[in-house]
Structure formats: structure tokens, C-alpha cells
Amino acid sequence: GENVGLHLPTLSVQEGDNSIINCAYSNSASDYFIWYKQESGKGPQFIIDIRSNMDKRQGQRVTVLLNKTVKHLSLQIAATQPGDSAVYFCAWERDYKLSFGAGTTVTVRA
Amino acid sequence: KAGVTQTPRYLIKTRGQQVTLSCSPISGHRSVSWYQQTPGQGLQFLFEYFSETQRNKGNFPGRFSGRQFSNSRSEMNVSTLELGDSALYLCASSHSDADTQYFGPGTRLTVL
């Protein structure tokens, strides 16, 4: 099911279902937002980004939503697959640095 | 195009020693940033370099320093190591300002 707006440290999802990962960011001056995926033993991997002049952007099986009014980002993954199991971080850029959310560990159940 | 590379991948040091980590950015990228990742604090920004100039620095003690060379390669140094410095150190590069940062695999530093 959906956990609209709420950041959860962990998310368990059935293979084939849709996943929604939420993030609250803190810097209202940020104009650039990114979602990263980090698998065990690896560095963060770019998934999708969005700039502040947009509120939605779609990629392959992923959609990012941005609500600047409440400083909230979400990542939607369609038809979640076992390879989607990882930790997902949102990040926001300001003054040449990225700040990161706490991360959500996604586990895909077969 | 090759990704961001970091050397060494793993490092074990003892308290009081110093360490130098290296990062080679993606070809054509001029901005290099460093981050520390720990289970307790998550991902934290250390510093960012562009054309050999440090443009921003995170809230870390002066024991943490870095530099960038004319070929955009970067190094970071930690002196007088403490147990709390044990972490995954990540390097990221980007082409320009407010552009996507791509991460390397990281250097796992263990301080004993």
C-alpha cells in the first residue's frame, strides 16, 4: 500500500507491485534534487533528477514528484523487481554540495 | 566512458596515523566532491573542488583536507586518525555546477 508523505526507514514490497519512497528535504533554497540507489558494497547510483521548475519527471519505470511548498520529494518505482532491492537516498543541491536524506531500505519479496 | 575511480578500495590504519585517498573523476568532469558515509551519520559532505579551488567545505575538523590537481584528479587526507573516522569515503564528480554528481565505489577506511 501507499505511505503518502511519510518517510519510512524500511519498505517491504511484493515483486511486481509499485513502490513509493518519500523524502523531506530541509533547504528551501535548493533548486536541484536527485534520487540515488545504493547497493551493498557500492557507491550511490544516479536514478533520476528534477529541477525546481518542475513538479514531476518520469524515467524508465521511475517517477519523481516534487512538492516545494512542503519540501517533499517522492520516488515511485513501477513493477518493482528483485534488482530494485537497495537503499534509496534523496539528495538536494545547494552551494556546490549535496545534502542527503536518511535513506529507505527497500526489500522486494518474491 | 569510464566512471569515477577511487583508490585504494580498502584501507586499515591505526589511531594517530594519517591517510591519503585518491579519486579520478569521469573524463571531462571538473568538479569533484567528497563525502563520508557512516551508519550513524549517513552521508555527509566533506568538500568540493572545481579547477583546483575549494568552493565549499563541510563541518569537519581541520584534520580533513583535500586538493585537486590540474587534471581534475583529487586527493583527500585525514591526519591523526581517530576511531570515529572509520567510514566509507565517497568521491563524486560532475561536469559543472548544479549538475548530476556521479559517485565512485568508495574507499572503506577502518581505524583500529
Side-chain angles (χ1 to χ4, degrees):
Chain A
E2 293 187 6
N3 295 287
V4 178
L6 181 66
H7 169 258
L8 300 174
T10 61
L11 179 66
S12 180
V13 60
Q14 187 70 37
E15 181 179 356
D17 286 353
N18 297 334
S19 304
I20 298 177
I21 306 166
N22 296 302
C23 168
Y25 64 92
S26 57
N27 193 333
S28 58
S30 293
D31 291 325
Y32 182 53
F33 306 87
I34 314 103
W35 280 98
Y36 288 96
K37 169 187 179 183
Q38 187 174 27
E39 297 173 289
S40 182
K42 297 183 178 180
Q45 175 189 353
F46 170 82
I47 301 173
I48 191 168
D49 59 2
I50 189 168
R51 298 198 182 265
S52 59
N53 59 350
M54 302 174 71
D55 54 21
K56 180 179 179 178
R57 190 162 188 233
Q58 290 184 286
Q60 187 176 13
R61 281 200 309 119
V62 294
T63 300
V64 55
L65 300 177
L66 172 63
N67 185 331
K68 291 204 72 178
T69 302
V70 295
K71 293 189 288 186
H72 183 268
L73 272 169
S74 68
L75 177 71
Q76 301 176 1
I77 305 174
T80 310
Q81 303 170 357
D84 295 328
S85 292
V87 181
Y88 290 80
F89 294 96
C90 70
W92 52 98
E93 191 274 345
R94 185 67 185 177
D95 295 331
Y96 317 119
K97 81 172 197 181
L98 290 178
S99 300
F100 290 85
T104 294
T105 300
V106 173
T107 303
V108 181
R109 306 189 307 272
Chain B
K1 193 182 272 193
V4 178
T5 58
Q6 293 187 244
T7 56
R9 292 293 313 279
Y10 302 92
L11 208 48
I12 299 175
K13 293 286 188 179
T14 57
R15 281 179 296 176
Q17 288 187 309
Q18 75 163 10
V19 67
T20 299
L21 312 181
S22 182
C23 171
S24 292
I26 292 171
S27 178
H29 285 191
R30 295 171 64 188
S31 170
V32 174
S33 300
W34 289 89
Y35 297 85
Q36 182 197 64
Q37 186 175 27
T38 60
Q41 299 298 317
L43 280 149
Q44 292 188 291
F45 171 78
L46 281 157
F47 23 67
E48 188 266 357
Y49 290 89
F50 184 88
S51 294
E52 302 178 68
T53 299
Q54 186 183 90
R55 298 192 296 185
N56 201 350
K57 187 178 191 303
N59 188 25
F60 280 82
R63 301 185 296 107
F64 291 80
S65 63
R67 59 178 176 168
Q68 186 182 33
F69 302 96
S70 59
N71 62 358
S72 293
R73 192 177 68 84
S74 178
E75 290 181 346
M76 67 163 282
N77 183 275
V78 188
S79 62
T80 320
L81 284 165
E82 300 177 359
L83 295 179
D85 296 333
S86 294
L88 181 67
Y89 289 89
L90 292 158
C91 170
S93 75
S94 65
H95 186 267
S96 61
D97 297 348
D99 203 355
T100 305
Q101 292 190 24
Y102 294 94
F103 284 82
T107 294
R108 173 72 63 184
L109 173 65
T110 302
V111 182
L112 302 175

